[in-house]
Amino acid sequence: MHRIEGEIAALEAKKPAALGERERQALMQLGADLELAWSHPATTATTRKRILRAAVNEIVVRVEGGFIEMVLHWQGGPYRAEAENEYDREKPFTTPEDTASLIRSLARQLADSQIARPLNRAGKPTGRGNGWTERRVCSFRNDHEIAVYREGEWAERGEITLEATAQIIGVTPMTALRMIERGDIKGQQLCKGAPWVIKAEDVAANNPSG
């Protein structure tokens, strides 16, 4: 019992003394300096992250209906804020029609996992302004009732890729591309990063060994 009482007394002795008025005023001044440091033009994102780590213990976010409730547990106590949830508004985020049309066309050439890359390279963001991913492409395609790509669609339309064209003619893909650029072979590309589409009959007509 005496040992426990001694440990309690030792812990009590280690407690910091209550702040005096001078110390309290000094801490209040630090708060003003913190705001100045945060908004200073020379302050980097890394410095702001360090400030947040030092000043904030925890952030708790709760989404309910059309609002987001956020509680910041600062070192000096909690602060509660509420904001409108912009992703829950009635106004929908609409993908531009030219982007939607491009997706419809790409879906006839590529699988969902391959469509995001040319869309992003062409600078065509989603309706929310985000980059495309396989999941977002799949979701858009399903929402707009666009059929998924099927193996064999190219052959059914009598179309072949740039690589297949080069192999048939007996040249490298780069040489085949130059032939398209010169107009020796007709080829189409929906956008930068999309595959080149060539009619098989045009390749046959330009194949010396054919």
Side-chain angles (χ1 to χ4, degrees), residues 72-119:
L72 282 74
H73 290 273
W74 297 89
Q75 297 289 355
Y79 172 78
R80 186 181 302 273
E82 190 176 81
E84 186 176 358
N85 182 5
E86 64 176 14
Y87 294 110
D88 196 55
R89 295 174 182 168
E90 293 183 0
K91 182 180 179 180
F93 288 85
T94 304
T95 299
E97 180 53 38
D98 62 331
T99 302
S101 178
L102 181 57
I103 294 174
R104 291 188 186 95
S105 299
L106 287 171
R108 305 280 51 83
Q109 297 178 356
L110 301 168
D112 291 348
S113 59
Q114 300 172 298
I115 292 177
R117 183 171 176 266
L119 286 174

Side-chain angles (χ1 to χ4, degrees), residues 123-166:
K124 302 290 187 180
T126 68
R128 295 182 186 275
N130 298 318
W132 288 94
T133 63
E134 179 181 356
R135 181 181 61 81
R136 288 169 179 159
V137 169
C138 181
S139 177
F140 179 90
R141 187 178 50 71
N142 289 331
D143 290 344
H144 291 76
E145 299 182 346
I146 301 173
V148 67
Y149 171 76
R150 294 181 296 102
E151 287 292 337
E153 283 194 53
W154 284 60
E156 291 172 4
R157 296 191 298 265
E159 298 169 347
I160 58 176
T161 64
L162 178 69
E163 291 74 20
T165 298

Side-chain angles (χ1 to χ4, degrees), residues 20-32:
E21 182 60 26
R22 180 177 297 179
E23 289 83 358
R24 193 182 72 81
Q25 291 296 332
L27 287 176
M28 295 294 290
Q29 182 60 43
L30 282 176

Side-chain angles (χ1 to χ4, degrees), residues 34-56 59 74:
L34 179 63
E35 181 179 357
L36 178 63
W38 180 273
S39 58
H40 195 278
T43 301
T44 64
T46 301
T47 301
R48 291 192 176 96
K49 289 179 182 178
R50 290 176 178 173
I51 292 174
L52 285 176
R53 291 192 189 101
V56 179
I59 300 177
W74 297 89

